[in-house]
Amino acid sequence: MSEQNKRVVMSYVDAFNRGDLDGVCALFAPDALIHGALGWGGLEMARPLWEQLMRCFQMSLEVDAVVAEGDTVVVRYTERGRSVQSFRGGPVTGKDYEVLAMEWFVVKEGHIERRWGVRDTASMFAQMALPPP
């Protein structure tokens, strides 16, 4: 089961890196709960935020490590991006960022039911010379 759940999470990473928002969202259960650096809620909260992050920062996730046990999968990334469009009315700087990020998933029946994400958002915005969100 752990290997199957890792494949679900790696599909999430692949879809995120392609900027495939529909593909990312399709991997979540309809009642999934998503916790992140900028808030928490269901897909209705996460989807517009992910769309902004993908569009404004062209984020990419490089997997550094994956651990899975039962229905839990944990991933450590090197996350990179660049300020290419205005995020929440802020300036566009063209500057790059690189931070470590971690996400913790609970996967059941082939869908992500819970996701917790942490990254150093303050460092991310500082590297891009943007005001904090």
Side-chain angles (χ1 to χ4, degrees), residues 38-82:
L38 299 175
W40 66 275
L43 279 171
E44 70 283 349
M45 181 278 311
R47 185 183 177 95
L49 180 57
W50 288 336
E51 187 276 330
Q52 286 180 328
L53 293 171
M54 289 175 179
R55 182 176 37 83
C56 297
F57 301 134
Q58 295 181 337
M59 300 169 71
S60 69
L61 304 171
E62 179 183 331
V63 174
D64 297 323
V66 181
V67 176
E69 184 174 318
D71 62 4
T72 301
V73 180
V74 180
V75 185
R76 181 174 47 88
Y77 309 102
T78 299
E79 179 183 310
R80 295 177 181 92
R82 172 179 290 139

Side-chain angles (χ1 to χ4, degrees), residues 3-51:
E3 290 303 313
Q4 181 180 356
N5 291 341
K6 277 177 29 177
R7 284 191 293 277
V8 170
V9 171
M10 291 302 99
S11 294
Y12 159 89
V13 173
D14 290 341
F16 207 96
N17 284 341
R18 289 191 317 272
D20 178 2
L21 185 57
D22 290 335
V24 168
C25 292
L27 294 165
F28 283 81
D31 62 345
L33 187 57
I34 302 156
H35 297 265
L38 299 175
W40 66 275
L43 279 171
E44 70 283 349
M45 181 278 311
R47 185 183 177 95
L49 180 57
W50 288 336
E51 187 276 330

Side-chain angles (χ1 to χ4, degrees), residues 98-113:
E98 179 177 305
V99 294
L100 293 179
M102 298 178 104
E103 292 182 317
W104 183 291
F105 301 87
V106 173
V107 181
K108 293 186 180 174
E109 298 179 11
H111 287 93
I112 300 166
E113 290 196 351

